Amino acid sequence: MLKHSFVVNIGVAPVIAMLLSGCTLDHHRSLPYDAWSLNFFAPDYMEVWIETADVVDINERLYRGAGSGIPAMGYPRALSKGIPAEFRGKPEGWRESPGGKGRRVTGADLPRLVYVRWQSIVEPQTYEAYIEIPESTRQLMRKSEDVFCAFDGKVITDYRKLLVVGLAPGGIAKVWLGGPCLKSTEVTRVQGTINPEGPYRGLSDGEYYFLSEESKSYVDKFGIPYGSW
């Protein structure tokens, strides 16, 4: 079993690297705010370890490591220990207006492509997906909207600058676009492919990131709801 501190230099997929050919040094950013965020989440109990998420913006600039690690998930809870008396999570389907967790892609222009490679630990399997971001999505990211924000207690001008990716067993990657006070809207759904190198680009002797006892127990009892995502 791998420890939490296992770290491997996993690099970037060759296809992403090829996209940089002919890249220009001119860098004109078209977004009307400082940065947009790339966030991730997974369905309850369907634990995921993101090896890397890399971004190519509309200026053909590559941003490696725009995402990695454990995405947001409802269950198991962060401080959960052992197997609960009752499983309260519902992994089937997608939550409404998901948020996820991640980081700001500082310095990048609007996204053209997101590459993500992740371990679906409950299966276990290693997947990768190339997510093309439509121009219609970038237009929404540029557009301001006036909305009442409960956090501020007033009407504010907000932008859809949160790109949210849900990762599910079977290699499914679904994308939403939202704002801090704006409801998320669906962008696209991608069927990822199995990465033949396996976990950590083949550098871990086939060992995956550890699976919690709670999630393992849930899957042993109820299985994985393939087809619901």
Side-chain angles (χ1 to χ4, degrees):
M1 179 179 292
L2 294 178
K3 297 180 183 291
H4 293 64
S5 60
F6 185 90
V7 178
V8 175
N9 182 8
I10 49 182
V12 63
V15 175
I16 288 283
M18 290 187 345
L19 291 170
L20 295 179
S21 59
C23 179
T24 176
L25 293 178
D26 293 331
H27 189 208
H28 175 69
R29 299 171 73 236
S30 63
L31 64 166
Y33 36 81
D34 291 339
W36 55 276
S37 294
L38 181 61
N39 295 349
F40 292 92
F41 76 98
D44 293 343
Y45 308 114
M46 303 294 109
E47 294 188 37
V48 163
W49 174 259
I50 301 169
E51 293 189 349
T52 190
D54 307 313
V55 170
V56 178
D57 73 5
I58 56 175
N59 294 315
E60 300 302 321
R61 287 178 174 261
L62 173 64
Y63 294 81
R64 291 187 177 96
S68 62
I70 301 172
M73 190 181 340
Y75 289 89
R77 302 293 194 187
L79 300 179
S80 297
K81 294 182 179 180
I83 302 172
E86 178 185 0
F87 291 101
R88 298 184 179 181
K90 301 183 183 301
E92 298 87 354
W94 300 106
R95 70 185 71 162
E96 185 178 357
S97 193
K101 72 175 184 179
R103 65 189 67 164
R104 286 155 50 98
V105 188
T106 305
D109 208 316
L110 295 174
R112 185 179 72 76
L113 178 74
V114 175
Y115 168 79
V116 57
R117 185 176 66 254
W118 76 98
Q119 299 174 21
S120 176
I121 312 169
V122 293
E123 297 182 84
Q125 190 61 266
T126 305
Y127 296 102
E128 61 184 353
Y130 296 87
I131 305 169
E132 295 278 357
I133 306 301
E135 173 58 29
S136 58
T137 298
R138 289 189 289 273
Q139 291 177 2
L140 283 176
M141 294 178 79
R142 296 185 184 102
K143 181 182 177 182
S144 64
E145 296 185 39
D146 292 333
V147 61
F148 178 81
C149 186
F151 181 79
D152 293 276
K154 60 182 179 181
V155 174
I156 67 168
T157 299
D158 200 4
Y159 286 94
R160 297 184 182 275
K161 53 186 178 181
L162 307 177
L163 199 65
V164 182
V165 182
L167 300 173
I172 303 301
K174 192 166 183 178
V175 185
W176 290 259
L177 179 67
C181 295
L182 292 168
K183 184 177 179 180
S184 298
T185 59
E186 294 184 16
V187 172
T188 187
R189 179 182 183 274
V190 174
Q191 174 63 63
T193 59
I194 295 174
N195 186 304
E197 295 177 311
Y200 303 106
R201 303 298 293 268
L203 301 177
S204 66
D205 294 325
E207 291 192 59
Y208 284 80
Y209 194 81
F210 79 97
L211 178 64
S212 73
E213 187 178 6
E214 183 173 341
S215 292
K216 182 180 185 304
S217 180
Y218 180 92
V219 172
D220 288 344
K221 186 174 183 178
F222 299 106
I224 297 174
Y226 291 109
S228 68
W229 302 296

